[in-house]
Amino acid sequence: MDFDNGKPIYLQIVDFFYENILMKKWLENERIPSVRELAMMVEVNPNTAIRAFNHLQELGVIHNKRGIGYFVSEDGYQKVMAIKKGEFMEVILPDVFKKMKMLDVEFEEVKNTYDAYRNKTDHEKK
């Protein structure tokens, strides 16, 4: 995993979890890699990995079954979707809007580009 120096590593691991859950690679009620497995997978200290696990548990995205391992919570997908959607609406979009204004990009241009992207990805799925 390539890490960004501008963001704590454990939060980048949290984003890795979010991506796997949103892409449905890790399903609700499904066992996920252990702290050690994840630490080896992304090449970090197990203490950094446990920090990510603790953060995700506090959010209710994952839970631990003692002696068995960690699992995506029953409503983990919905929780991650709400977290990432909120981040998108509150952090990413305002920055996009600011850049659109600076570059004099009209919303219709963005919509056309978005529609073309959706058409392309929909055709790739078929």
Side-chain angles (χ1 to χ4, degrees):
M1 194 166 161
D2 294 324
F3 294 106
D4 172 12
N5 290 332
K7 187 174 186 179
I9 291 174
Y10 85 97
L11 290 177
Q12 293 177 63
I13 294 169
V14 167
D15 286 337
F16 174 74
F17 272 77
Y18 290 163
E19 185 175 314
N20 279 288
I21 292 168
L22 289 175
M23 293 178 70
K24 298 189 177 184
K25 291 181 181 177
W26 297 347
L27 301 174
E28 294 170 331
N29 298 312
E30 184 176 276
R31 188 177 180 282
I32 58 175
S34 70
V35 171
R36 283 197 174 105
E37 290 169 335
L38 182 80
M40 288 181 8
M41 187 186 315
V42 298
E43 300 176 344
V44 298
N45 184 305
N47 292 330
T48 303
I50 196 69
R51 195 165 175 202
F53 277 74
N54 288 338
H55 182 76
L56 290 161
Q57 274 189 282
E58 289 171 8
L59 296 172
V61 173
I62 65 171
H63 65 277
N64 186 7
K65 290 185 182 178
R66 192 176 178 128
I68 300 174
Y70 287 91
F71 292 76
V72 175
S73 297
E74 190 169 317
D75 59 351
Y77 179 87
Q78 288 84 8
K79 285 184 178 182
V80 171
M81 181 65 82
I83 290 166
K84 294 306 286 181
K85 195 173 206 175
E87 182 181 296
F88 180 78
M89 298 300 274
E90 296 166 18
V91 178
I92 296 170
L93 270 183
D95 188 52
V96 169
F97 293 152
K98 178 182 174 185
K99 289 176 182 168
M100 286 173 63
K101 186 175 180 182
M102 286 186 330
L103 299 171
D104 196 28
V105 174
E106 294 296 322
F107 187 77
E108 193 62 32
E109 293 174 77
V110 174
K111 183 183 179 320
N112 291 340
T113 303
Y114 175 75
D115 289 343
Y117 170 79
R118 286 292 299 255
N119 287 335
K120 180 183 174 192
T121 57
D122 287 348
H123 283 96
E124 289 173 356
K125 289 179 186 177
K126 293 177 183 179

